[in-house]
């Protein structure tokens, strides 16, 4: 993003924080005749959320930004809902977020991808959302194509929605889930079918509402 836009958006975010805004929705896409005007993403100014500032914020939606979260960030203590769209993410980033957002109940990822060295080498493509202390009740992972393995540890989780390729899942620590929606966009050798037939009832013992959608799938003998 060009500097003139960075300064403007920073100022607007600063005004919102100072005035005690509770719901902040920020999308920083800039297009001209169908083409991007800038290839440099906007870095969300977390420096504005320090020294007790930003504690009024309960809902944050970010699209096409970057987040460099410092350890000990205290500005997100009141955050209840967080949505990230078309943004780079990493396991460390998400872990640090959760350490600083203990009141978080709703967490959504839309069309996100790996940041820096994430998704490279052994153990790649692993998304771990884990905290026994969180209040998380709603998780959605939508079309994050680079993720091939997901692990959830969220004892209070009530609703889980996933859309994307068939991936391996470790969901043994979500005993309270009642509503699940799984939309598989390919099969990756039938892993989704094997999971549904083999482990779904074990992972979701209290399930009362289930939606499963296959776009296409194949099973290898």
């Amino acid at each position: 993003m060009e500097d003139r836009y960075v300064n403007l958006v920073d100022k607007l975010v600063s005004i919102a924080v100072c005035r005690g805004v509770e719901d902040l929705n920020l999308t920083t896409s800039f297009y001209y005749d169908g083409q991007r005007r800038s290839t440099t993403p906007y870095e969300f100014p977390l420096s504005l959320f320090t020294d007790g500032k930003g504690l009024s914020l309960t809902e944050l939606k970010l699209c096409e930004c970057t987040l460099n979260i410092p350890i000990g960030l205290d500005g997100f203590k009141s955050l209840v809902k967080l949505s990230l769209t078309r943004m780079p993410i990493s396991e460390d980033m998400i872990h640090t977020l959760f350490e600083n957002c203990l009141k978080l109940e709703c967490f959504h990822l839309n069309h996100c991808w790996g940041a820096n060295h994430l998704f490279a080498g052994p153990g790649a493509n692993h998304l771990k959302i884990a905290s026994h202390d969180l209040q998380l009740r709603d998780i959605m992972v939508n079309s994050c194509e680079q993720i091939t393995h997901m692990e959830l540890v969220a004892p209070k989780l009530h609703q889980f929605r996933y859309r994307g390729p068939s991936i391996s899942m470790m969901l043994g620590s979500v005993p309270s889930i009642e509503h699940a929606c799984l939309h598989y966009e390919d099969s990756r050798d039938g892993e989704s079918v094997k999971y549904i037939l083999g482990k779904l009832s074990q992972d979701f013992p209290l399930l009362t509402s289930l939606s499963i959608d296959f776009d296409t799938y194949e099973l290898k003998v």
Side-chain angles (χ1 to χ4, degrees), residues 21-42:
V21 164
E22 297 180 1
D23 184 347
L24 179 59
N25 188 339
L26 178 62
T27 299
T28 61
S29 300
F30 290 93
Y31 293 90
Y32 180 73
D33 290 338
Q35 301 295 321
R36 284 184 179 275
R37 297 176 62 181
S38 173
T39 58
T40 303
Y42 172 72

Side-chain angles (χ1 to χ4, degrees), residues 141-143 160-166 169 180-186 192 196 211-216:
V141 177
N142 177 37
S143 299
F160 174 60
R161 290 169 287 170
Y162 172 81
R163 181 187 181 106
S166 173
M169 294 185 181
C181 180
L182 306 174
H183 186 138
Y184 296 109
E185 296 176 338
D186 68 23
S192 55
I196 290 167
S211 173
I212 301 174
D213 189 355
F214 293 100
D215 283 351
T216 59

Side-chain angles (χ1 to χ4, degrees), residues 91 118-119 123-128 146-151:
E91 191 171 327
L118 181 71
F119 307 149
N125 305 357
H126 184 174
L127 174 65
K128 184 175 182 179
Q146 290 180 317
I147 297 172
T148 59
H149 177 75
M150 188 184 325
E151 179 179 354

Side-chain angles (χ1 to χ4, degrees), residues 1 20 31 34 36 42 84 107 139 185 197:
M1 184 188 292
Y31 293 90
R36 284 184 179 275
Y42 172 72
L84 306 179
F107 181 59
I139 290 177
E185 296 176 338
L197 295 178

Side-chain angles (χ1 to χ4, degrees), residues 197-208:
L197 295 178
K199 286 200 62 187
L200 187 64
S201 61
Q202 300 174 34
D203 290 348
F204 302 152
L206 299 181
L207 202 64
T208 60

